[in-house]
Amino acid sequence: MATTIGDNAVVIDYDDDFIRAGYAVPEREPGVLQPALVRPAGSGAGGETSRPIRDRRVEDWDQLEALLADVFYRQCAWVKGDEGACLITEPVFTSKADRERLTQMMFESFNVSGLYVAEQPVAALYAVGKVTGVSVDVGYSVTDVAPVVEGSLVSPAAQRCEAGHSLVTAELLARCGEEHRRLREHERDAVRDATAAVAPSRDDASGGASLKDETYTLPDGRKVSVSGAARRECVERGLFRPVGRAGLVDAAAASIAACPAEQRRAVVDAVGVCGAWAGRAEGLDARILADLEQQLPPSMKPFLASTPEYMPPGTARWTPWIGGAILSKVVFTHNQHVTKVEYQETGPSVAAKLKG
């Protein structure tokens, strides 16, 4: 019975921009990629949208519930009264109150048969076969850096910085002229993915060879021209050297330094770079590693947690979800999840068991 639950569990991983969901099949990418956007009823196709999740924290639970209802009942084809189990990956810095609210929603609104919550950094490293390392999760608006030792998050050393791919997009558009700032979000993302370039190192970013200008043609024929300098500078200002705040490599170095001394060498042996843009931005993981090596003592040489060959292409985009899919085979089989009966007996406070 427990094995059946594990085989049929739905895995949910979320950020500000998308909810990644699907049945727990680690060898494939998530079957559902649901934009984390809500458009008020009656506003029409061009109406204003809102995000229920900001900086990886749920701000509107009713909107999130509406999105998850669509994911479970329409896209994953759950049947009301016969719902399955769910594993959710949870961002670092999620509060106890939010975890309890999520638990309540899962059992009372979606009637799940079982629930497990895995921390996103743990799941991300698990996906590439590591239980010790540093997860650098480059998200929509923030980057979370968190060391993991033997499958447990080193919470006091976790760092969050205001650096994400939406900031890369904003920096790019700021350099492209007024007419391009009116592009829709998916058009902006397409321009960014096609033109933004990651410099191999900080030295190359400031004094390396110049890049060619690029012109991207949108599906409707409009053209967006991006200078070579803007292609590189948008990444520097959005991720590595933002004005007035720490960049993601600064956060990674601070996170490693905050680990107990005896754990630092172990965690730098597996630096896992993941996130929605990590699988698209060529050279991002190598750049993070190069800059990190410059900031760490010579005795601590960092290494990338490479993706196993059998994993699907672009795995870096999905590693927390894939790790959750792998974990679901273990936690539901070995009854490490919270059951419906346990929730009925204890209520939302049973979420304390879910700190996985």
Side-chain angles (χ1 to χ4, degrees):
M1 179 66 177
T3 301
T4 302
I5 291 176
D7 287 342
N8 293 288
V10 168
V11 179
I12 301 285
D13 173 62
Y14 64 88
D15 197 351
D16 298 17
D17 53 350
F18 285 99
I19 296 172
R20 291 160 281 275
Y23 286 99
V25 183
E27 297 80 16
R28 297 203 301 260
E29 64 185 41
V32 177
L33 192 61
Q34 170 72 50
L37 290 170
V38 174
R39 181 175 287 112
S43 62
E48 289 294 322
T49 58
S50 60
R51 295 187 184 278
I53 305 167
R54 290 188 180 276
D55 296 342
R56 288 183 170 154
R57 185 177 186 276
V58 179
E59 290 193 343
D60 192 315
W61 288 92
D62 291 337
Q63 289 184 351
L64 178 62
E65 183 175 331
L67 289 172
L68 290 177
D70 184 73
V71 168
F72 286 135
Y73 295 113
R74 185 178 70 84
Q75 302 192 69
C76 292
W78 274 9
V79 176
K80 286 187 179 292
D82 189 28
E83 290 86 353
C86 184
L87 184 147
I88 300 178
T89 67
E90 174 188 83
V92 294
F93 306 113
T94 297
S95 68
K96 176 185 175 183
D98 282 355
R99 189 176 304 111
E100 290 183 354
R101 182 75 179 269
L102 180 66
T103 302
Q104 182 179 13
M105 178 193 295
M106 288 296 112
F107 282 104
E108 296 187 12
S109 298
F110 300 119
N111 194 36
V112 296
S113 59
L115 177 67
Y116 188 82
V117 176
E119 290 151 324
Q120 284 178 351
V122 175
L125 288 171
Y126 209 80
V128 293
K130 303 293 184 182
V131 294
T132 297
V134 179
S135 170
V136 182
D137 191 341
V138 185
Y140 178 80
S141 59
V142 296
T143 292
D144 287 339
V145 182
V148 175
V149 175
E150 294 299 326
S152 296
L153 184 69
V154 186
S155 299
Q159 300 278 329
R160 171 170 288 174
C161 64
E162 188 180 341
H165 61 83
S166 66
L167 302 176
V168 175
T169 308
E171 292 286 348
L172 180 64
L173 291 174
R175 292 164 171 78
C176 285
E178 188 64 35
E179 67 275 15
H180 300 320
R181 298 180 192 181
R182 294 190 294 272
L183 297 174
R184 296 179 180 178
E185 184 167 12
H186 70 278
E187 294 171 333
R188 297 174 183 177
D189 291 346
V191 172
R192 178 203 64 212
D193 291 345
T195 63
V198 181
S201 68
R202 186 165 186 155
D203 291 339
D204 284 301
S206 57
S210 60
L211 293 179
K212 291 182 179 179
D213 296 350
E214 285 278 356
T215 298
Y216 179 75
T217 304
L218 294 163
D220 62 4
R222 286 178 294 164
K223 296 182 183 295
V224 180
S225 298
V226 183
S227 71
R231 293 176 59 200
R232 185 172 280 168
E233 190 67 16
C234 67
V235 178
E236 293 304 306
R237 293 304 181 194
L239 298 179
F240 294 101
R241 293 185 291 122
V243 177
R245 59 185 188 274
L248 59 83
V249 176
D250 300 318
S255 180
I256 294 166
C259 287
E262 66 274 11
Q263 295 176 349
R264 292 172 196 160
R265 287 181 183 274
V267 298
V268 298
D269 279 345
V271 179
V273 180
C274 63
W277 202 51
R280 294 193 183 105
E282 183 179 353
L284 179 62
D285 52 358
R287 168 64 187 279
I288 290 172
L289 197 71
D291 284 11
L292 187 57
E293 186 172 0
Q294 289 187 340
Q295 292 203 30
L296 294 176
S299 59
M300 282 196 294
K301 182 176 176 62
F303 294 92
L304 285 175
S306 56
T307 304
E309 292 182 0
Y310 59 82
M311 299 304 288
T315 291
R317 296 176 62 189
W318 325 112
T319 45
W321 186 90
I322 292 172
I326 296 170
L327 280 168
S328 72
K329 306 297 184 182
V330 177
V331 298
F332 291 113
T333 301
H334 292 89
N335 297 316
Q336 295 171 342
H337 60 290
V338 168
T339 66
K340 191 183 301 184
V341 171
E342 288 176 308
Y343 179 79
Q344 290 169 344
E345 291 176 348
T346 309
S349 63
V350 76
K353 177 183 175 180
L354 294 172
K355 194 78 159 73

